[in-house]
Amino acid sequence: MIGDGMIRLGLGLGLGLTQQGIKALPPEPVIDGAMVLNIDTNLASGATIELPLSGTVDCTVYWGDWSTPTAATEAGDVSHTYARPGTYTIQIDGDLTSFGDGATWTGADMLTSVTTFGTVGITALPGAFYGASNLTAIPSNVTGVTDISDMLHDATSYNGTELATWDITSLTNASNALDGCGLEPDHYNTIIMSWADQVATNSDLPASITLGADGLWWGNVEYDGYEHADTDTARSYLTTTAGWTISDDTEAMVLAFNTTLETGT
């Protein structure tokens, strides 16, 4: 019987070759419950990535290139260098309560999306995607996370609305969470509206949260389906009634046009 190590060796050395040259390796098997990160090494200046594992760590990292997986049992950076450029899917299987250490990390600019946090036990994401300048998507409907400080700091391509679906019941730290990220006003508005609704309808939510939003713009826009009528009301609720501090964002001027109106004869 050929073991997993032999299969990985064969794929790494031979099965990726054709008469025309090197082709992409087939994807590694999907691991149920794993945290999944998608990367493109062509987006970075180097071929090395160092994943910042923290909190309780007892997991195995599968790098997506059929190389030998890396077992990790303590907090710290787990490093891997890819032999050739390409797109890879990294899977983290086991127990991991925190991803990130509050600072940017080597290879963050390779990260293009995070498919799922799986069932590894993530409760904290301090600096998880700090400097991930090519990140465009993160998981939706996340629960139980307490710390998102610096999570999307300088993630300049990120303009998603997944955060609007997150359950922030457990949130205690959001400092610098959105500083310098790529959220445009409409998507940032949606997140503010959703989070204000959660706070207004759940007395168990913590007050006095500081949300870092340096460089972001918000506009006083009305949205249907929310507890608060518009962004200004929702944001004011968070910063007054709920005692939040939203730091360094700026109100944008909103202009409304009616294209059905005409002038002249």
Side-chain angles (χ1 to χ4, degrees), residues 189-243:
N189 287 350
T190 300
I191 294 167
I192 293 297
M193 295 287 289
S194 174
W195 286 6
D197 276 12
Q198 286 193 56
V199 174
T201 58
N202 191 334
S203 60
D204 293 331
L205 282 171
S208 304
I209 295 291
T210 296
L211 173 64
D214 185 29
L216 300 189
W217 294 75
W218 62 277
N220 187 23
V221 179
E222 295 183 1
Y223 292 88
D224 294 330
Y226 291 94
E227 178 79 14
H228 301 92
D230 52 55
T231 313
D232 183 53
T233 305
R235 189 180 183 283
S236 294
Y237 176 84
L238 288 175
T239 58
T240 55
T241 305

Side-chain angles (χ1 to χ4, degrees), residues 5 9 17 28 34 36 39 44 61 65-66 76 82 106 116 121 124 136 146 169 181 195 204 210 230:
L9 180 61
L17 298 176
E28 292 190 346
V36 179
I39 67 167
V61 181
D65 60 355
W66 295 95
Y82 288 90
T106 299
T116 177
T136 59
T146 62
T169 304
C181 74
W195 286 6
D204 293 331
T210 296
D230 52 55

Side-chain angles (χ1 to χ4, degrees), residues 114-183:
V114 181
T115 305
T116 177
F117 293 130
T119 57
V120 298
I122 291 290
T123 60
L125 295 161
F129 314 124
Y130 196 144
S133 55
N134 294 296
L135 176 71
T136 59
I138 60 176
S140 301
N141 301 308
V142 174
T143 62
V145 173
T146 62
D147 186 354
I148 60 170
S149 59
D150 290 294
M151 183 179 73
L152 288 166
H153 200 151
D154 290 341
T156 52
S157 295
Y158 179 75
N159 186 34
T161 58
E162 295 94 344
L163 286 174
T165 72
W166 284 32
D167 181 344
I168 61 168
T169 304
S170 302
L171 186 63
T172 58
N173 188 355
S175 60
N176 309 118
L178 305 178
D179 285 3
C181 74
L183 281 172

